[in-house]
Amino acid sequence: MTSGPILECVPNFSEGVHPEIVRQIVASMRVEGVHLLDYSLDPDHNRSVVTIAGAPAAVMEAAILATGRAAHLIDLTMQTGVHPRIGAADVIPFVPVAGISIAEAALIARQAGMQIWRRFGVPVYFYGAAAARPDRIELENVRRGQFEGLREASLKDAARRPDVGGPELHATAGASVVGARSFLIAYNVYLAAKAEITHARAIARDIRASSGGMQGVKAMGVLVNGRAQVTMNVTDFRLTPMAQVHAKVAKLAKEHGTSIAEGELIGLVPEAACEAGAAWTQQIPDFDPDLKILERRLEHPLAWPEA
């Protein structure tokens, strides 16, 4: 691993059904100084998540190249899935790991956004620490209406126009949301087999911060492959530890007359968030700390797929 500053990027792409497309996108990120830590496909959400890390300038270039490749390969007018999205390369967060501040990561995000527009004609919204406007700090505010709604709203409402490029969205690739943030843990919990989506939605409403629930937790209730799921983003695991999130979902499920089943972790998790023998990791099938803990993947990155 690089001895200098380490920047992580966790781009999310609106493709989880065709592995060969995701493979081509991942292969495009092969830049000197960048290491591939993880990538996964979810056909129900029709989404893929990639984790790379390395020298900041190289990581920025890898993210830009992947956005261009995704714009070439993904047509949002033909794409459907459970997960909300506005772009082929939907969200591109830069995360400081070592030797780099969140302010520096935000500057890199701004530079990346400019290059994405200049090279590929994909408009960009900035969010998180890179947000240019206070109403765009939260990702869900930017993504409101999804691709179909935003392509109309961006033309009619100046408040919905991209920060870079536009006002029209790219005809097939939409727009990308580029930002800087701290570690985020994408954690999903399935409910018992007979649970209904109304149970998942009620639990999500009770647990998410915006509804007065747990600080640093975003949640939705969705139906995945016919099963009710509470899908969550934990944006501050130090403020709200993962063990507390898991226990709260289990408690709420019981109150709603159901129970929790297996868990699911998308991407990697920092070692500080992953207590040994924790109940939440034990409920994730085949959870392997060597594969899912960020610091361990930094020491042993994956081989790049062939282009």
Side-chain angles (χ1 to χ4, degrees):
M1 197 62 203
T2 178
S3 59
I6 301 173
L7 181 68
E8 180 188 60
C9 187
V10 192
N12 290 220
F13 302 97
S14 298
E15 174 56 68
V17 177
H18 301 97
E20 68 280 5
I21 291 178
V22 177
R23 179 182 54 77
Q24 290 183 57
I25 294 170
V26 173
S28 74
M29 304 173 82
R30 187 172 185 173
V31 173
E32 183 68 28
V34 176
H35 301 273
L36 176 62
L37 304 187
D38 185 72
Y39 71 98
S40 60
L41 287 73
D42 186 328
D44 295 302
H45 288 85
N46 203 358
R47 197 168 182 82
S48 54
V49 179
V50 184
T51 303
I52 59 172
V59 168
M60 180 181 72
E61 178 64 16
I64 294 167
L65 292 174
T67 303
R69 194 65 179 149
H72 177 71
L73 295 171
I74 298 172
D75 183 349
L76 287 185
T77 66
M78 306 294 290
Q79 191 263 10
T80 59
V82 172
H83 204 289
R85 81 286 184 266
I86 65 168
D90 185 55
V91 56
I92 306 166
F94 292 95
V95 183
V97 174
I100 183 170
S101 68
I102 190 72
E104 290 170 317
L107 179 60
I108 286 172
R110 291 285 190 94
Q111 293 171 341
M114 292 296 297
Q115 289 298 316
I116 287 168
W117 167 247
R118 288 172 180 168
R119 296 194 208 177
F120 307 114
V122 175
V124 169
Y125 294 83
F126 294 118
Y127 87 107
R133 296 167 30 171
D135 59 334
R136 293 183 178 174
I137 293 174
E138 298 296 333
L139 178 60
E140 54 267 33
N141 291 340
V142 179
R143 222 158 38 193
R144 178 164 46 88
Q146 295 202 55
F147 168 67
E148 291 78 7
L150 189 58
R151 65 180 172 183
E152 303 297 328
S154 66
L155 297 176
K156 299 175 181 178
D157 184 356
R160 301 300 308 280
R161 291 177 181 172
D163 292 305
V164 178
E168 303 89 351
L169 302 191
H170 189 286
T172 57
S176 292
V177 193
V178 183
R181 59 163 174 77
S182 301
F183 287 115
L184 178 150
I185 300 173
Y187 174 54
N188 304 328
V189 175
Y190 285 95
L191 300 183
K194 294 184 179 181
E196 299 179 0
I197 190 172
T198 52
H199 296 133
R201 287 173 176 167
I203 293 168
R205 182 188 63 241
D206 290 343
I207 201 172
R208 62 178 169 247
S210 63
S211 301
M214 307 183 82
Q215 295 184 69
V217 176
K218 300 178 181 182
M220 297 188 301
V222 298
L223 203 62
V224 177
N225 198 25
R227 298 181 62 191
Q229 182 194 82
V230 181
T231 178
M232 294 168 282
N233 283 340
V234 181
T235 62
D236 192 337
F237 68 88
R238 290 183 174 86
L239 186 65
T240 304
M242 295 300 296
Q244 291 184 19
V245 175
H246 174 266
K248 184 68 172 180
V249 174
K251 179 176 181 291
L252 289 170
K254 186 176 180 179
E255 291 176 1
H256 286 284
T258 184
S259 61
I260 62 173
E262 74 271 21
E264 182 179 48
L265 180 64
I266 308 300
L268 303 179
V269 59
E271 193 151 23
C274 192
E275 310 89 346
W280 75 277
T281 60
Q282 291 181 341
Q283 284 196 273
I284 299 173
D286 302 319
F287 178 82
D288 185 341
D290 288 336
L291 299 180
K292 300 302 288 184
I293 291 179
L294 171 67
E295 290 83 353
R296 301 190 189 186
R297 295 308 298 161
L298 284 170
E299 294 299 323
H300 303 285
L302 299 176
W304 289 98
E306 294 297 324

